[in-house]
Amino acid sequence: MAVVKVYDQDKTEQGELTLTPEVFEVAVRPEILHLVVRAQLAAKRAGTHSTKTRAMVSGGGVKPWRQKGTGRARAGSNRSPVWRGGAILFGPQPRKYDFKVNKKIRKLALRMALSSRLAGDNLLVVKGFDLPEAKTKVFAKIAGNLGLSKALIIAPEESRNLVLSSRNLPGITLTTPDQLSVYEILKHKQLVLLEGAVEPVETRLK
């Protein structure tokens, strides 16, 4: 059983919390994490790149000059790929880059990513944030108290004050249990779990 300390926003110890070992104590396999991260990044690619083939380039209906007798190379079209302003040969065409990863593998990768942060002593459980108003200055002070530099904060739900207070701080990203991704966890050195988000995360990944 993984027992972690719970802190308040001033990093004063408030008690302990037992995390589910099936979610936070999983053996990490880099190849699984690599596969899922690659799938997530591939799905973000627009794939809208396009070039014009010979069929798409306008013009080129008339042979530029006769076949023989001019001393120049043979030419059948002024839209040939070797001509300036001509078609592009084997250029990129619109396509999809995403590929399927099984649901069980995606869940396993999330467990591994969470486990890696706990094993590396980079997981912090915080009771909650007291933000009566949306002020970046207030949240910056809290982040300083907790020693956060490049951190992913998992909140039980989106709070307007928390979103507005944290969005301008470089290196700080806010997410919720249902939007949690392997890429975001591994991208940030620190992982902050608000106490209310622990149960939803465990429920999702059990």
Side-chain angles (χ1 to χ4, degrees):
M1 286 285 186
V3 179
V4 294
K5 294 178 180 179
V6 179
Y7 299 93
D8 63 10
Q9 64 185 27
D10 298 318
K11 210 171 183 181
T12 304
E13 192 176 329
Q14 297 293 313
E16 292 183 338
L17 182 69
T18 302
L19 300 176
T20 306
E22 291 84 359
V23 176
F24 290 93
E25 291 184 320
V26 178
V28 177
R29 292 171 58 191
E31 68 274 15
I32 298 290
L33 295 176
H34 177 262
L35 173 68
V36 175
V37 168
R38 198 160 56 87
Q40 288 177 355
L41 294 179
K44 287 183 178 182
R45 296 185 68 176
T48 52
H49 43 45
S50 182
T51 53
K52 290 186 177 182
T53 64
R54 294 186 73 148
M56 300 172 186
V57 178
S58 62
V62 180
K63 188 174 174 67
W65 49 75
R66 61 197 175 97
Q67 183 80 346
K68 293 177 179 291
T70 65
R72 290 179 287 188
R74 292 172 294 182
S77 169
N78 60 5
R79 291 297 176 254
S80 164
V82 300
W83 279 53
R84 183 177 182 275
I88 301 296
L89 201 61
F90 305 124
Q93 295 296 319
R95 57 163 289 193
K96 289 185 177 180
Y97 284 92
D98 60 316
F99 57 92
K100 183 186 175 186
V101 176
N102 290 338
K103 190 175 179 180
K104 286 184 178 179
I105 298 296
R106 292 201 305 269
K107 274 191 173 183
L108 177 60
L110 273 172
R111 293 191 205 110
M112 288 179 179
L114 291 171
S115 300
S116 70
R117 288 294 171 260
L118 179 63
D121 200 23
N122 289 316
L123 189 147
L124 187 67
V125 179
V126 179
K127 203 164 187 69
F129 297 131
D130 182 21
L131 296 168
E133 57 181 342
K135 290 283 186 181
T136 303
K137 184 178 179 181
V138 175
F139 191 80
K141 184 180 178 182
I142 294 172
N145 293 338
L146 295 173
L148 305 182
S149 55
K150 191 173 177 66
L152 177 66
I153 300 172
I154 306 174
E157 57 186 14
E158 284 191 357
S159 161
R160 183 177 180 276
N161 284 355
L162 182 56
V163 171
L164 295 178
S165 300
S166 63
R167 68 181 180 179
N168 288 331
L169 288 179
I172 303 294
T173 304
L174 184 66
T175 189
T176 53
D178 58 317
Q179 296 174 340
L180 194 59
S181 76
V182 175
Y183 175 67
E184 287 295 338
I185 295 173
L186 297 180
K187 181 182 173 183
H188 296 82
K189 291 180 181 178
Q190 301 158 306
L191 182 65
V192 179
L193 264 170
L194 296 192
E195 192 175 25
V198 174
E199 187 179 346
V201 168
E202 291 179 341
T203 302
R204 177 187 170 186
L205 299 178
K206 277 182 182 178

